Amino acid sequence: MQKWENIPIGKRLYDNTDETSITRALAASENSFITQAKGHTRFPGLAEFATLSGVAPTYLFGWQDDLIAVSDGRCYVTDKNGNSKDVTSVPISGGNRVVFSDTEGAILMAAGGPIIKYAGVKTEGLSDDAPDSTHVGYVDSYVVALENNSGRFLHSNAGVPDKWDALDIFSANAQPDNLNSLIVTDYRELILTGRSSIEQFERLANGDTPFYRRFALGEGVYAPYTMTFADNAVWAINKDWEFTRISGQTSTPGSNDIGYRLEKVNDWSGAWADKVHVKGHKFIILQIPNAENIYETKGLTYIFDYSQRIWSTLYGWDEVLGLPDRWPGWSCFRIWGRNFVGGNGRVYELKDDVYDNAGQTQRMMGRTGHISDYEVRVDNLRMKIKRGVGTPSKESFISIRCNRDNQGFGRWVRKGLGKHGKRNMTLEFGGFGSGHSFQFEWMVTDPCQVELHKLDAQMTRLGQ
């Protein structure tokens, strides 16, 4: 008997087992995400916004209605029109990722060398008495900073960021490990981490000692720059290579769906995470830039919808190899109601109506699990998708192919998404033969909007 059956495309990405075991989940979701309506939306592309200098990774922050960008140790102030000014007098040194902190009257920057401040004119050293540090923060009028390669952190005098007393030092000693990260949460909590422990310090209301340790966890943080604050909690890659939500004295892994892939990471250097909200959805971007991905190129980037607890992947594109590679961002920051991404000596804007990465191909791709538990013939495949996304003179295309009985994917079947003004949302791709299991993969490389809502297969059961 012939009937239409729904192919589940609104399920979560499941990257925690061999792909042949996946049936009711997605095997791949690249440069797209699952909406709350259980459809697929293309992730926004990157538009050129500001050119700095060189090709070093660029790190972003905001201060007094300006976008602050640091690239190759130099600090740039960029206005909302993309005009950049180099305000470097003292470079930001140390060779690590730049950590920023906003204070009253200045922005502070640390990357492993001396802490640098910018107060509106040129960058300058914060204080000769402040430690060289990878991380700096500000809480209740105190500047706090890690001491490099130790289990100690120091703080300035209250309300005087450039005054540091050698006795104003604390040890985070729940475990005998060096501190590797510091974050001040939205609740003004001071979180300090090492590879074997996490400790929360809070301000004392009065007295000579400004901080006290409230609690400690044995969780540990393996990749320090993956620590970020979202969903009223701290998130980070822990010592077991899990992306974990830490709230109070409770930690909950959030990466079970991609745990196998994280376990296979061969190089965690440079890993980072940051929050970004696009198209009404709340994401954390988790990038491991030097990890080898499934295409055997460098760069593994995930986006995590922390409201729905769903993962997807982001990729750039190597035009020479014709393969996906690292998504070209190094940092994210939201200012002026817009999202910005630090590139290589560049600042990009993440824009809903851009569908390439600053001229580089952005391939949107999805792949289902293996469908059907009995022998069937697929007589037709029907897709519900937004059309009319081309121009009046040119249309864009979507392609789909089938892996029948896990024998490998066949040829692509290509259909037009319609020139501007096309309203019909249904595409039919024809039959895909007989077999016991079917896996479908779709792809769009043209720069156009993609809103994929539904996929149905017309099947006839055989061998009854």
Side-chain angles (χ1 to χ4, degrees):
M1 182 177 70
Q2 188 182 72
K3 65 176 182 178
W4 287 97
E5 292 195 11
N6 178 250
I7 306 297
I9 65 169
K11 302 294 184 179
R12 61 196 335 109
L13 172 68
Y14 194 70
D15 214 359
N16 200 33
T17 187
D18 187 89
E19 195 169 299
T20 57
S21 302
I22 300 173
T23 57
R24 295 288 169 177
L26 289 176
S29 177
E30 298 181 3
N31 293 322
S32 64
F33 59 90
I34 307 298
T35 67
Q36 293 173 339
K38 302 305 177 186
H40 286 248
T41 290
R42 193 172 198 165
F43 195 78
L46 300 173
E48 292 272 4
F49 178 71
T51 300
L52 309 178
S53 64
V55 293
T58 300
Y59 310 111
L60 303 179
F61 201 69
W63 186 70
Q64 292 192 352
D65 206 37
D66 282 320
L67 182 66
I68 306 298
V70 175
S71 187
D72 198 23
R74 304 199 68 81
C75 182
Y76 302 83
V77 175
T78 304
D79 66 22
K80 61 182 62 177
N81 296 315
N83 302 308
S84 292
K85 179 174 66 174
D86 190 336
V87 294
T88 309
S89 176
V90 179
I92 298 91
S93 62
N96 294 299
R97 185 179 181 87
V98 180
V99 173
F100 300 87
S101 183
D102 196 1
T103 72
E104 296 178 12
I107 184 175
L108 305 182
M109 295 162 277
I115 299 171
I116 303 300
K117 76 173 180 179
Y118 170 70
V121 182
K122 291 285 186 176
T123 59
E124 55 186 305
L126 175 63
S127 170
D128 291 339
D129 297 323
D132 288 359
S133 184
T134 58
H135 288 74
V136 63
Y138 182 77
V139 55
D140 293 347
S141 80
Y142 290 89
V143 178
V144 292
L146 303 186
E147 182 183 68
N148 287 342
N149 303 311
S150 81
R152 297 182 293 273
F153 71 97
L154 294 84
H155 65 82
S156 70
N157 291 352
V160 191
D162 58 348
K163 300 297 182 182
W164 295 69
D165 191 316
L167 297 178
D168 289 337
I169 187 168
F170 287 77
S171 291
N173 54 10
Q175 295 286 342
D177 56 350
N178 290 340
L179 291 173
N180 63 7
S181 189
L182 171 158
I183 190 172
V184 178
T185 74
D186 291 356
Y187 299 119
R188 316 307 295 163
E189 303 158 329
L190 179 60
I191 307 295
L192 299 133
T193 75
R195 284 203 173 184
S196 299
S197 63
I198 297 172
E199 301 183 42
Q200 178 184 312
F201 281 75
E202 291 193 358
R203 280 273 291 115
L204 283 170
N206 47 52
D208 295 332
T209 303
F211 301 101
Y212 74 99
R213 187 176 71 189
R214 185 178 180 189
F215 63 75
L217 291 171
E219 188 79 24
V221 169
Y222 185 82
Y225 296 102
T226 64
M227 192 160 71
T228 190
F229 188 82
D231 193 29
N232 298 318
V234 172
W235 296 80
I237 292 290
N238 69 9
K239 61 184 179 183
D240 295 320
W241 296 4
E242 301 168 313
F243 194 59
T244 301
R245 183 182 191 273
I246 303 156
S247 179
Q249 291 182 271
T250 303
S251 62
T252 306
S255 57
N256 290 339
D257 290 354
I258 61 167
Y260 177 73
R261 191 66 57 197
L262 294 184
E263 288 176 3
K264 294 295 182 182
V265 169
N266 61 337
D267 187 347
W268 281 97
S269 62
W272 61 276
D274 216 338
K275 183 170 61 175
V276 61
H277 292 179
V278 296
K279 291 191 171 183
H281 290 71
K282 300 176 180 181
F283 298 106
I284 297 173
I285 294 180
L286 171 64
Q287 185 179 90
I288 312 146
N290 296 307
E292 184 178 282
N293 56 50
I294 60 174
Y295 299 102
E296 297 183 350
T297 59
K298 270 194 175 183
L300 183 60
T301 307
Y302 281 102
I303 52 172
F304 179 50
D305 183 330
Y306 57 84
S307 294
Q308 299 189 88
R309 299 295 194 265
I310 296 177
W311 293 87
S312 298
T313 52
L314 297 181
Y315 282 102
W317 188 258
D318 188 314
E319 300 287 356
V320 176
L321 297 176
L323 290 171
D325 63 0
R326 189 187 67 83
W327 182 70
W330 292 102
S331 62
C332 301
F333 193 80
R334 184 172 178 83
I335 190 173
W336 313 311
R338 299 152 66 186
N339 292 304
F340 294 92
V341 173
N344 288 67
R346 299 285 189 277
V347 179
Y348 303 118
E349 185 174 357
L350 198 66
K351 301 189 74 172
D352 294 353
D353 58 352
V354 171
Y355 309 104
D356 56 42
N357 290 326
Q360 179 192 78
T361 297
Q362 186 209 55
R363 184 185 75 161
M364 175 183 173
M365 190 270 282
R367 187 165 60 249
T368 69
H370 295 264
I371 311 301
S372 187
D373 296 323
Y374 43 81
E375 187 178 9
V376 299
R377 183 180 67 241
V378 175
D379 300 314
N380 198 1
L381 190 71
R382 183 174 63 196
M383 177 183 287
K384 184 179 179 183
I385 189 169
K386 182 176 181 178
R387 302 187 69 207
V389 296
T391 68
S393 60
K394 183 180 179 181
E395 71 174 328
S396 300
F397 293 85
I398 187 169
S399 300
I400 198 163
R401 62 181 180 172
C402 178
N403 175 17
R404 190 173 67 245
D405 287 335
N406 203 37
Q407 296 300 305
F409 282 96
R411 65 180 180 86
W412 289 104
V413 181
R414 189 167 177 251
K415 294 289 182 178
L417 291 174
K419 296 178 183 178
H420 181 72
K422 188 74 173 178
R423 310 295 291 181
N424 178 25
M425 293 192 296
T426 302
L427 290 176
E428 294 190 355
F429 291 84
F432 286 91
S434 303
H436 289 84
S437 72
F438 294 82
Q439 183 181 31
F440 296 99
E441 184 175 89
W442 58 88
M443 175 180 70
V444 179
T445 56
D446 293 331
C448 64
Q449 182 184 11
V450 182
E451 301 287 345
L452 173 57
H453 305 295
K454 194 177 182 184
L455 192 63
D456 296 306
Q458 189 179 45
M459 296 183 178
T460 297
R461 187 166 180 174
L462 306 175
Q464 297 187 73

